[in-house]
Amino acid sequence: MRAKQTRHKQRGISFVGLLFVAIVLACVGVVVAQVIPTLIEYQAITKAANKAKEGTTVPEVRAIFDRAQAIDDFKSVTGKDLDVKKDGDKVVVSFAYDREIHLFGPAYLVLKYQGQSK
């Protein structure tokens, strides 16, 4: 009588599959590591725009924004780049800018940021 041999199909990921997943995750991690500073800069710019809305004239709003820019040390937007409007009795400060992140060769990731004071 022959012993019944059962073969169990192996499950899991192969070494090549694991290597592929690791490479993909590493590439995504590098891109995320380059995007996070732009998000932090966007938050600083929004904070500066909210501070600048306290001004009453356009030059005063831009001067307040430039002082906040010097403190938070961001370079993407200056006081000259702001769009200052009056909405009723409130001053609304808005901005828009692009950031490019070089990926590889001719490929870039373009991030378009825009915002306004609350």
Side-chain angles (χ1 to χ4, degrees), residues 52-68:
K53 75 177 181 180
E54 298 169 1
T56 54
T57 64
V58 174
E60 185 181 0
V61 167
R62 290 185 174 158
I64 293 170
F65 185 86
D66 285 337
R67 280 194 298 272

Side-chain angles (χ1 to χ4, degrees), residues 12-80:
I13 190 167
S14 68
F15 179 71
V16 174
L18 180 66
L19 199 58
F20 178 75
V21 169
I23 289 171
V24 169
L25 288 176
C27 291
V28 169
V30 167
V31 172
V32 167
Q34 291 179 352
V35 169
I36 288 175
T38 67
L39 292 173
I40 294 169
E41 180 184 48
Y42 173 75
Q43 291 175 340
I45 292 170
T46 303
K47 184 175 107 179
N50 286 327
K51 202 178 288 184
K53 75 177 181 180
E54 298 169 1
T56 54
T57 64
V58 174
E60 185 181 0
V61 167
R62 290 185 174 158
I64 293 170
F65 185 86
D66 285 337
R67 280 194 298 272
Q69 176 194 17
I71 292 169
D72 290 334
D73 193 33
F74 55 83
K75 310 240 185 305
S76 295
V77 178
T78 63
K80 294 181 280 183

Side-chain angles (χ1 to χ4, degrees), residues 30-42 76-77 95-103 108-114:
V30 167
V31 172
V32 167
Q34 291 179 352
V35 169
I36 288 175
T38 67
L39 292 173
I40 294 169
E41 180 184 48
Y42 173 75
S76 295
V77 178
F95 59 90
Y97 65 99
D98 297 342
R99 287 293 303 260
E100 290 183 351
I101 296 174
H102 182 253
L103 298 176
Y108 285 85
L109 174 64
V110 178
L111 303 169
K112 294 180 179 271
Y113 291 108
Q114 63 182 10

